[in-house]
């Protein structure tokens, strides 16, 4: 077997696993990727990339000789000492994270003094400690354990991997923490060496804080609508304060995706399970739920009853540059509109295939103008550049009505109005 850092294993080939694998291959490691999904592994072996992520296909292709794909964990165990775990930890009905995939990996790893698990999957604080107890109880106490949370964003995941704001490595001593730190050293990012529980909490707290920032600015936007202020101006003024920062102050129709909704809920439940009521996060979640529905109120104010009205949704993915539909605001919006009797058409440049699995009863259009044809109103749901740069005169001609709701505050109100459309943003004058 090679040294700890020139060969690694990655278990799970979803967004985090594939980007981690491609990123470390780019840095020169041989990478053994393992997934239980045989079809996915076959596709990866053929050079196909099962997800849409800018730059990922190129990175995988460029490093194909250093990337190995298998359904057999033994292949990774044979070649690599560090095994990065990047399996899904979806929410359960109780809001806790479902750790069954993590436990399956732990169960499958044999006793060894040579190997260590490096947890990339987002897990509740305390998971590392309990997994290490499981190791001890099953005679596997030679296995190392490191918490190394991932902060990459979908849509810019490759860039985020190669240029992280920080790398967090949590361990309780032993060789593996140093080996992980050494692997990341070429990226020259600030390194946070800490204990396992604190590393786990850095991840949950970071996501919860960012989600709080979004719900906060969304509430400010809602107050702006009552008071005549413009949230874009307010965010600009706030963001210049170094202590606040300009990022994540974009008001809109709420956050979605595979991380924020799940992680905020998981942290709230984690606190609740230990007897602490995390009031702030309860509000963050509620504000986000309501924010998706406020669009319906805006449509009703202009159109009256939505029964029989034709509404075009521009974008479906939870954010641009991804085909991920998990917890996308469009899911709530399309269902709510249909429940009110509206006829919904939608266009998304990339996420249509994923959306078809989750959304029914709407028409999927092949182009923005096809979605907008004869629409009474349109809602910008995802700020894809193709949609932000639409020719608004052409849009106005295609629609039968003239209402455009900018659910992401991504458009130039003057340009939209100049085309003869009514512009409504979120918290904008
Ligand atoms: C997030 C975290 O940013 C990342 O660090 C973590 O590893 C995973 O979760 P991601 O879910 O890919 O990443 O997307 P992100 O760009 O953070 O956006 C999340 C959601 O918040 C999107 O729905 C986006 O539209 C929304 N958002 C973001 C806002 O509504 N306003 C903002 O100002 C920023």
């Amino acid at each position: 077997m090679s040294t700890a850092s020139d060969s690694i294993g990655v278990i799970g080939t979803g967004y985090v696993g594939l980007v981690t694998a491609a990123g470390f291959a780019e840095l020169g490691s041989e990478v053994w990727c393992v997934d239980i999904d045989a079809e996915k592994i076959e596709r990866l072996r053929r050079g196909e990339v099962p997800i849409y992520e800018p730059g990922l296909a190129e990175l995988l292709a460029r490093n194909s000789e250093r990337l190995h794909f298998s359904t057999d964990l033994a292949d990774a165990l044979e070649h690599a000492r560090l095994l990065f775990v990047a399996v899904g930890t979806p929410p359960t009905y109780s809001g806790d994270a479902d750790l069954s995939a993590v436990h399956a990996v732990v169960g499958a790893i044999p006793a060894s003094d040579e190997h260590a698990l490096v947890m990339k999957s987002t897990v509740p604080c305390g998971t590392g400690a309990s997994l290490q107890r499981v190791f001890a109880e099953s005679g596997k106490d030679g296995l190392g354990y490191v918490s190394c949370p991932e902060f990459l964003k979908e849509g810019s995941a490759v860039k985020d991997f190669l240029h992280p704001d920080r790398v967090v490595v949590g361990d309780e001593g032993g060789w593996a923490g140093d080996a992980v730190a050494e692997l990341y050293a070429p990226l020259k990012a600030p390194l946070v060496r800490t204990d396992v529980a604190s590393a786990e909490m850095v991840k949950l707290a970071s996501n919860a804080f960012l989600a709080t920032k979004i719900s906060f600015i969304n509430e400010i936007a809602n107050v702006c609508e009552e008071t005549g202020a413009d949230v874009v101006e307010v965010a600009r003024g706030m963001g210049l304060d170094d202590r606040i920062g300009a990022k994540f102050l974009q008001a809109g129709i709420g956050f979605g995706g595979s991380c924020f909704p799940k992680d905020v809920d998981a942290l709230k439940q984690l606190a609740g399970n230990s007897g602490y009521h995390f009031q702030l996060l309860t509000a963050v979640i509620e504000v986000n739920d309501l924010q998706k529905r406020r669009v319906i109120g805006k449509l009703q104010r202009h159109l009256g009853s939505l029964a029989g009205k034709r509404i075009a949704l521009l974008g479906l993915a939870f954010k641009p540059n991804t085909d991920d539909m998990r917890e996308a605001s469009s899911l709530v919006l399309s269902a709510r509109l249909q429940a009110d009797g509206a006829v919904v058409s939608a266009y998304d440049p990339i996420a249509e295939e994923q959306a078809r699995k989750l959304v029914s009863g709407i028409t999927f259009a092949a182009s923005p103008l096809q979605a907008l044809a004869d629409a009474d109103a349109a809602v910008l749901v995802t700020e894809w550049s193709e949609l932000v740069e639409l020719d608004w005169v052409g849009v106005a001609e295609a629609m039968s009505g003239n209402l455009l709701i900018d659910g992401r505050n991504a458009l130039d109100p003057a340009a939209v109005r100049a085309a003869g459309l009514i512009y409504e943003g979120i918290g904008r004058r």
Side-chain angles (χ1 to χ4, degrees), residues 4 50 84 107 111 138 166 181 201 239 264 269 273 391 399 408 416 419:
F84 285 78
S138 49
R166 79 300 209 181
M201 191 55 105
V264 174
Q269 297 306 336
N273 295 345
D391 162 27
M399 292 173 65
R408 294 294 173 189
V416 173

Side-chain angles (χ1 to χ4, degrees), residues 150-154 203 207 210 214 248-250 254-256 259-260 318-319 408:
E150 184 51 66
F151 300 98
L152 56 79
K153 301 179 285 299
E154 290 179 24
K203 169 70 185 186
N207 274 357
L210 291 169
I214 299 171
F248 279 70
L249 285 181
Q250 178 92 20
F255 58 78
C259 291
F260 283 174
F318 85 95
K319 68 173 194 175
R408 294 294 173 189

